[in-house]
């Protein structure tokens, strides 16, 4: 996964801004001269309003396109290229954080953890990823390159949905049969669930790292690396707390 700065260098962007400022200034001068010649109060108000609208729209356009960065990701089955602007990076950062603090990427060591809570956490992640797509709150697709929400669709359709549809009904059926005092350690599918969860975490890892790359996180893999630590791996093991599910 590599990140390529946009072809424009700092000097080119500065020059472009200077030219744009000069053009705007010239137009403002023409408008001011025209107003002074006509002396029309109505014309002054109209022109002033149009200039204000143009400035607001220009600032918004610049905010959305500022610091445009091209990010190329090699993901399972595809190579994707993103023209990452501010909105895309913010969306990717939210999704990176949501996944990197849950059991989707955090360890569930053998003999520890709660399987029902793990399933609930994965379902919550599924809902968090799906909600912006269904509600229309997601940023519109970019004019060029891939959309960050294409990654999300792959995560939902190919990773989370199959796992949840397989294991939720199985665990639910066993819990119903055993009653409220059921001990998950006695579930016959306990070990198989844990192995499948490890496979899911391995599958999700490149997607989550990719979201971090798009977001501009420096070395996003570093934030997932402690997933490989064992119980005696170091002094920071306590940092994986309840919120990491």
């Amino acid at each position: 996964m590599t990140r390529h700065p946009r072809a424009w260098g700092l000097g080119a962007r500065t020059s472009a801004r200077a030219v744009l400022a000069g053009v705007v200034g010239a137009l403002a001068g023409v408008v001011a001269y025209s107003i002074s010649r006509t002396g029309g109060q109505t014309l002054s108000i109209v022109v002033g309003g149009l200039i204000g609208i143009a400035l607001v729209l220009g600032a918004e356009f610049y905010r959305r396109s500022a610091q445009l960065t091209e990010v190329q990701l090699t993901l399972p089955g595809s190579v994707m290229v993103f023209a990452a602007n501010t909105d895309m990076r913010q969306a990717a950062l939210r999704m990176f954080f949501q996944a990197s603090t849950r059991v989707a990427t955090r360890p569930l060591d053998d003999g520890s953890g709660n399987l029902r809570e793990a399933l609930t956490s994965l379902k919550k992640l599924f809902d968090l990823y799906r909600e912006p797509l269904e509600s229309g709150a997601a940023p519109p697709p970019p004019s060029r390159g891939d959309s960050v929400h294409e990654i999300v669709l792959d995560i939902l359709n190919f990773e989370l949905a199959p796992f949840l549809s397989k294991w939720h009904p199985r665990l639910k059926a066993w819990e119903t049969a055993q009653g409220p005092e059921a001990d998950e350690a006695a579930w016959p599918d306990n070990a198989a669930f844990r192995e499948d969860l490890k496979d899911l975490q391995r599958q999700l890892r490149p997607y989550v790292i990719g979201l971090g790359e798009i977001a501009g996180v420096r070395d996003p893999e570093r934030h997932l690396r402690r997933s490989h630590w064992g119980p005696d791996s170091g002094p920071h093991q306590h940092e994986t707390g309840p919120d990491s599910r």
Side-chain angles (χ1 to χ4, degrees), residues 38-244:
T38 61
Q41 184 179 19
T42 301
L43 178 61
S44 300
I45 295 173
V46 171
V47 171
L50 291 176
I51 292 175
I53 292 172
L55 289 175
V56 170
L57 292 178
E60 178 65 12
F61 174 78
Y62 176 75
R63 184 191 71 81
R64 289 178 177 274
S65 60
Q67 301 176 354
L68 197 65
T69 303
E70 184 176 280
V71 181
Q72 178 174 303
L73 303 178
T74 301
L75 296 171
S78 64
V79 175
M80 306 180 77
V81 179
F82 303 85
N85 60 11
T86 301
D87 286 343
M88 184 181 293
R89 284 193 292 271
Q90 289 175 346
L93 184 60
R94 286 194 299 271
M95 290 182 281
F96 174 78
F97 176 77
Q98 288 162 351
S100 64
T101 58
R102 294 177 177 274
V103 75
T105 57
R106 311 312 300 169
L108 188 68
D109 295 329
D110 293 343
S112 68
N114 183 288
L115 307 190
R116 168 52 59 192
E117 289 183 3
L119 273 175
T120 300
S121 177
L122 292 172
K123 179 59 167 63
K124 178 64 174 178
L125 181 64
F126 185 95
D127 292 338
L128 286 170
Y129 276 10
R130 183 176 61 181
E131 192 277 332
L133 301 178
E134 292 188 339
S135 67
S143 57
R144 65 183 182 87
D146 293 303
S147 167
V148 67
H149 292 94
E150 294 177 55
I151 294 181
V152 176
L153 284 173
D154 286 350
I155 292 174
L156 294 176
N157 293 335
F158 305 137
E159 307 300 342
L160 290 178
F163 184 90
L164 291 169
S165 63
K166 175 181 178 180
W167 287 111
H168 174 73
R170 291 190 185 186
L171 181 56
K172 183 66 175 177
W174 182 80
E175 289 172 334
T176 301
Q178 298 298 313
E181 302 301 321
D183 181 1
E184 291 179 346
W187 184 32
D189 287 332
N190 186 300
F193 175 93
R194 291 175 182 275
E195 285 303 312
D196 256 17
L197 179 60
K198 291 177 182 177
D199 287 341
L200 175 67
Q201 291 169 334
R202 282 191 288 268
Q203 290 295 110
L204 289 176
R205 192 178 183 84
Y207 292 109
V208 177
I209 293 173
L211 289 170
E213 290 279 349
I214 295 170
V217 176
R218 185 177 64 177
D219 189 15
E221 188 174 6
R222 178 176 67 87
H223 300 283
L224 309 183
R225 202 167 291 149
R226 291 175 184 170
S227 295
H228 298 300
W229 287 14
D232 302 320
S233 296
H236 301 290
Q237 58 185 339
H238 64 280
E239 293 183 11
T240 301
D243 292 339
S244 66

Side-chain angles (χ1 to χ4, degrees), residues 8-55:
W8 294 359
L10 179 60
R13 290 197 298 270
T14 302
S15 299
R17 293 172 193 164
V19 171
L20 179 60
V23 171
V24 171
L27 290 175
V30 171
V31 170
Y33 176 76
S34 299
I35 293 173
S36 67
R37 297 281 293 177
T38 61
Q41 184 179 19
T42 301
L43 178 61
S44 300
I45 295 173
V46 171
V47 171
L50 291 176
I51 292 175
I53 292 172
L55 289 175

